[in-house]
Amino acid sequence: MGLIVVSHPEKCTHCRECELACSLHHEKKVNPKKSRIRVIRASYDLSVPSLCTHGYGCALECVDSCPMGAIEENNGFVGIDEELCDGCGACVDVCPFNAIRLFDGKAKKCDLCGGEPVCVSLCSQGALTFEEGKTVDKRVFNEIKKVVEERREDYVLQI
Amino acid sequence: MYYRYKALIVDLDSKEFSVKELNKDLVRKTLGGCALGAALMYRLAPKTPDPLKENVVIMAPGALTGTPVPTASKTSFFTISPLTGGWLESVAGGSIGLELRSCGFEALVIKGKSEAPCIIRITDQNFSFEDSDWGSDALDAAEKLSKGGYSTACIGQAGENLVRFAGVECDGRQAGRGGLGAIFGSKNLKGIAIKSTGDIEPESPEVLERLVKKWYDALLQHSSYRDDTKYGSGEFLEWMNSERGTFPTKNWQLSVFENRKQIDPYYWAPKYSVKNNGCISCVKPCGKMFVIKEGKYSGTKIDGPEYETLYALGGNVFNGNIEALARANELCDRYGIDTISTGGTIAFAMELYERNIITKDDVGYELRFGDEDALLKTIEQIAIREGFGNLLAEGTARASEHLGAQRYAVHVKGMDPPAYDARGLKGMALAYATSPRGACHLRAGVYGIELTGKWWKYSDIDRYSTEKKGDMVATMEDLMSVYDTLGICKFSRHVYFAEGLPELVEAVTGIKYSVEELFAIGANANWMKKLINMRQGISKDSLPPRMFLDPIAEGPSKGARVTEEELSIMLKDYYRARGWSEEGEPSKEQINEVDDLTKEVFYG
Ligand code: SF4
Ligand code: SF4
């Protein structure tokens, strides 16, 4: 347990295959804005994939923010119970990785595709890896957080 | 429902948007991209003596563009070229096509001319015009336009200044060839920005997901994967020189570049490339982020240089300094001009200079082969249309007429050729001659077959022979049109070939087409391109004098040239393969079929 998808921006080509495939897998439709992973165009030569760190890069802000108790952490996996979620969007605002989308009245985020993340399997560049969350260097997360904060407005989805 | 059967029409004269319903049958019979674009152009493009005065621009994503089908990244722009005066398709791998499709449109049609510089902004179903400034370069303009998470297509100063080979910057990739950027400029259109939250709905999502993984694996397991992604499209540059001797150099006076070592990606990629770059949905990225950290060109940072640019701004202008080349590439990308035509035009001028046909008095400075300062200066002069650059901004063909130097002008229909010396590759010579947009390697994509003698269903192809070339070029033009119709990158054709395409088309669009039926769509598109060229008064398929008169001077292809007779034999075969007349005109039946197909492109 405790495996998460880790992003390595220095290798990312901004192909967005991960976003396209994530949305296809979860929604049966293609829509990068609904993808649980977003590839943030930080500048001409830097793209930063960002998604849920399942508590390893954050302080579980989403869990604390949810008035319905719909988000829970269990053994290094954070899941949203859609039955309980009432779509208020509190979690969307507090997640430092902008990892939560809100549409169709529900909050959605990375669920690791049941243990075989599609994004990782289609990242040709090795910019996404499936690793033990606790061994990831905190600086990696901090770099991503910084970019997310700067570009948040462009990538947030709350409809 | 995958197709929405809608087009967004933008009228820059009246500053109005309208949504039109596309004829369902037409969409299903053309699928998207190139074939749909050809049909719309056939109906909507005016017969225009001056493409900079009266013209349309049509944008259409490939049929699979916007889905995760690996390398289905291309969006095509269509217009009448200010460089050739005829059909232009200009293809780029940005994400603007995905956004247009998300908005629910198969095509964007831009008509008229804005009074002042403007931006078209599309946010889901909200359409607006914004005022824009002139003067920012293409990359800065893109950066600014994309704020808010928009995908963009925009021009730099060269497009504003109506440089006839200005291109359009598309999210870090370029629709480079043929002067689309000048058409934007002529319409006072600085750029287009699109963003949408809409869904794209493939007809069989589960099947598609499985196919995506299947083709992803196939692409990554291919033997060429490692070198293609490590060194980019210039990977075979050394081989092109030392083994084939078909690397055009010094305005095609030579075909082996003696100073090539430094411009070879095996040399520069490890030294300057900091990471890979690619188009959307590309899993085998050919782009290289090239960074110079010290010295005269310190601060240069570009996506490139790719193979054609290594020729255009390297061998063809006799520049063996990779740093200067990268800087020249950056200037082209920033000003927004096509690297191939920029290099072609400057190489032409350099030859004239060395032949004393033009002098320092004409140019204002020395313009010799291999002079990197002159190269960089001339790029700027072209982009801002200053001094002698103002003439070169008209392109090789027009400049050569003005100077009476047609003998040394290397172009077909006004388009400067890419980096395959067709004198030693007869099939390429034919492909240059027949390409509807003028000299091009990607309309037929036969260079690989010619260079290696085999590919797909072809074997024992002799590059010096005229045999089998007519049929091969026609077939390959159709296949490449299918690729542009679907939006799949041609650099994956060695993996998908033709046989891999139908299952993808079906999973995405729900339409079952056989390989043969797809070829028919490609052929049909090529008839329309030809008919549009004929309408524009461009019917002659020929080659520049140098290819007929000057045999390759040295190296492995020494002595090779194309005779007029050889070209006419190949053209005959080609026209026959297409079912065209000896003069290269589509048949009555073909014209009827096209007229029928395009009778009503919109409902109402
Ligand atoms: S698939 Fe990999 S390289 Fe492509 S955008 Fe996603 S993280 Fe970046
Ligand atoms: S959604 Fe955000 S806040 Fe919640 S666990 Fe994931 S990264 Fe942490």
Side-chain angles (χ1 to χ4, degrees), chain B residues 200-513:
Chain B
I200 294 172
E201 302 177 30
E203 295 294 336
S204 311
E206 281 90 4
V207 179
L208 179 60
E209 195 177 337
R210 188 171 50 72
L211 293 178
V212 167
K213 182 65 180 143
K214 168 183 156 181
W215 288 106
Y216 171 90
D217 288 341
L219 282 155
L220 266 81
Q221 279 154 18
H222 194 275
S223 58
S224 69
Y225 185 81
R226 194 184 147 269
D227 287 352
D228 279 0
T229 49
K230 200 158 171 202
Y231 303 110
S233 57
E235 185 267 318
F236 68 131
L237 186 139
E238 174 58 35
W239 185 83
M240 269 303 266
N241 280 275
S242 52
E243 295 297 318
R244 289 295 178 268
T246 46
F247 186 73
T249 300
K250 250 188 156 175
N251 198 36
W252 297 60
Q253 297 178 86
L254 300 170
S255 307
V256 176
F257 182 33
E258 63 191 45
N259 300 335
R260 64 186 175 274
K261 286 286 176 258
Q262 250 206 38
I263 66 165
D264 187 332
Y266 281 84
Y267 163 77
W268 59 253
K271 196 165 170 203
Y272 298 97
S273 163
V274 297
K275 65 186 259 250
N276 288 340
N277 250 0
C279 298
I280 187 160
S281 81
C282 180
V283 303
K284 56 177 298 272
C286 64
K288 302 279 153 278
M289 187 51 75
F290 188 113
V291 180
I292 302 177
K293 297 205 177 84
E294 54 191 14
K296 184 170 168 191
Y297 300 110
S298 172
T300 298
K301 191 193 270 183
I302 46 148
D303 174 20
E306 46 111 32
Y307 174 69
E308 306 306 335
T309 304
L310 294 170
Y311 137 80
L313 304 175
N316 209 27
V317 290
F318 218 72
N319 165 33
N321 178 353
I322 189 63
E323 296 198 353
L325 197 159
R327 177 72 189 138
N329 193 163
E330 184 179 44
L331 287 179
C332 288
D333 284 4
R334 288 202 170 272
Y335 284 123
I337 27 176
D338 176 28
T339 56
I340 301 180
S341 284
T342 301
T345 310
I346 295 176
F348 164 69
M350 285 174 164
E351 182 173 346
L352 298 193
Y353 192 92
E354 296 202 343
R355 288 183 186 278
N356 278 320
I357 296 171
I358 53 172
T359 63
K360 201 170 165 185
D361 286 341
D362 301 310
V363 184
Y365 49 93
E366 288 194 22
L367 186 58
R368 292 185 190 285
F369 281 111
D371 181 341
E372 61 192 59
D373 295 329
L375 169 67
L376 297 172
K377 182 165 175 118
T378 310
I379 292 174
E380 286 190 5
Q381 301 279 79
I382 289 172
I384 57 176
R385 274 188 178 272
E386 206 171 270
F388 192 64
N390 191 32
L391 176 64
L392 297 184
E394 291 293 295
T396 306
R398 284 178 177 79
S400 75
E401 278 156 31
H402 181 84
L403 298 165
Q406 290 94 331
R407 171 70 176 81
Y408 307 109
V410 184
H411 67 85
V412 176
K413 298 188 174 81
M415 183 80 107
D416 309 82
Y420 305 87
D421 194 326
R423 287 169 293 191
L425 306 161
K426 299 282 155 79
M428 276 307 284
L430 176 62
Y432 283 162
T434 60
S435 158
R437 74 175 191 183
C440 179
H441 56 304
L442 290 173
R443 291 318 101 205
V446 295
Y447 51 91
I449 313 180
E450 289 283 292
L451 286 162
T452 63
K454 57 177 195 300
W455 186 74
W456 189 42
K457 61 178 193 178
Y458 299 104
S459 58
D460 299 318
I461 298 295
D462 175 358
R463 66 190 178 102
Y464 295 118
S465 163
T466 56
E467 243 165 77
K468 304 189 219 168
K469 301 295 163 78
D471 189 68
M472 179 178 87
V473 167
T475 304
M476 286 300 293
E477 279 180 352
D478 293 347
L479 180 60
M480 292 303 96
S481 287
V482 173
Y483 269 72
D484 283 337
T485 293
L486 303 185
I488 292 186
C489 177
K490 289 162 190 157
F491 296 151
S492 343
R493 64 186 184 277
H494 58 298
V495 175
Y496 289 112
F497 294 100
E499 291 72 15
L501 306 175
E503 62 180 20
L504 294 165
V505 173
E506 191 182 351
V508 172
T509 69
I511 308 173
K512 225 181 158 105
Y513 277 129

Side-chain angles (χ1 to χ4, degrees), chain A residues 9-34 38 41-48 103-104 113 116 118-126 151 153-159, chain B residues 66-70 95 98-99 102 139 143 146-149 151 169 171-172 195-202 205-206 208-209 212-213 216-217 220 225 229 274-285 289 291 301-303 333:
Chain A
E10 72 285 358
K11 291 187 179 159
C12 175
T13 64
H14 201 80
C15 75
R16 304 174 66 192
E17 187 70 359
C18 50
E19 292 182 338
L20 299 168
C22 173
S23 59
L24 178 65
H25 181 75
H26 287 95
E27 304 301 321
K28 308 296 163 211
K29 289 169 188 162
V30 185
N31 188 339
K33 280 83 179 179
K34 293 181 177 173
R38 288 310 314 268
R41 183 83 153 175
S43 66
Y44 180 57
D45 58 344
L46 179 66
S47 292
V48 180
F103 58 91
D104 299 339
C113 300
E116 280 178 61
V118 169
C119 55
V120 176
S121 80
L122 292 174
C123 178
S124 63
Q125 302 300 299
R151 304 300 299 270
E153 287 310 305
D154 295 356
Y155 290 86
V156 81
L157 181 76
Q158 206 164 352
I159 48 177
Chain B
T67 76
V69 168
S95 50
L98 157 80
E99 297 296 336
S102 288
L139 298 182
E143 170 101 35
S146 68
K147 288 251 151 58
S151 289
E169 164 73 29
D171 304 307
K195 175 170 106 164
S196 166
T197 50
D199 294 329
I200 294 172
E201 302 177 30
E206 281 90 4
L208 179 60
E209 195 177 337
V212 167
K213 182 65 180 143
Y216 171 90
D217 288 341
L220 266 81
Y225 185 81
T229 49
V274 297
K275 65 186 259 250
N276 288 340
N277 250 0
C279 298
I280 187 160
S281 81
C282 180
V283 303
K284 56 177 298 272
M289 187 51 75
V291 180
K301 191 193 270 183
I302 46 148
D303 174 20
D333 284 4

Side-chain angles (χ1 to χ4, degrees), chain A residues 4 48-49 63 72 77 104:
Chain A
I4 62 166
V48 180
V63 176
E72 260 189 14
F77 178 86
D104 299 339

Side-chain angles (χ1 to χ4, degrees), chain A residues 28-157:
Chain A
K28 308 296 163 211
K29 289 169 188 162
V30 185
N31 188 339
K33 280 83 179 179
K34 293 181 177 173
S35 167
R36 281 54 165 168
I37 180 170
R38 288 310 314 268
V39 186
I40 300 167
R41 183 83 153 175
S43 66
Y44 180 57
D45 58 344
L46 179 66
S47 292
V48 180
S50 179
L51 77 172
C52 175
T53 66
H54 293 272
Y56 292 103
C58 63
L60 294 172
E61 288 86 342
C62 61
V63 176
D64 293 341
S65 75
C66 179
M68 311 301 292
I71 313 182
E72 260 189 14
E73 193 266 350
N74 251 313
N75 280 328
F77 178 86
V78 175
I80 302 178
D81 185 337
E82 284 201 14
E83 297 278 294
L84 296 177
C85 171
D86 77 344
C88 73
C91 57
V92 177
D93 297 332
V94 298
C95 172
F97 291 90
N98 184 32
I100 304 183
R101 318 278 159 260
L102 191 89
F103 58 91
D104 299 339
K106 301 287 173 191
K108 331 239 179 189
K109 61 176 243 358
C110 169
D111 62 359
L112 301 174
C113 300
E116 280 178 61
V118 169
C119 55
V120 176
S121 80
L122 292 174
C123 178
S124 63
Q125 302 300 299
L128 300 174
T129 50
F130 197 38
E131 299 180 40
E132 278 292 343
K134 60 174 181 292
T135 61
V136 181
D137 189 335
K138 287 278 178 284
R139 277 172 302 187
V140 175
F141 291 131
N142 290 338
E143 285 302 307
I144 299 168
K145 256 195 259 186
K146 225 169 69 198
V147 173
V148 170
E149 243 358 274
E150 281 162 19
R151 304 300 299 270
R152 188 177 198 96
E153 287 310 305
D154 295 356
Y155 290 86
V156 81
L157 181 76

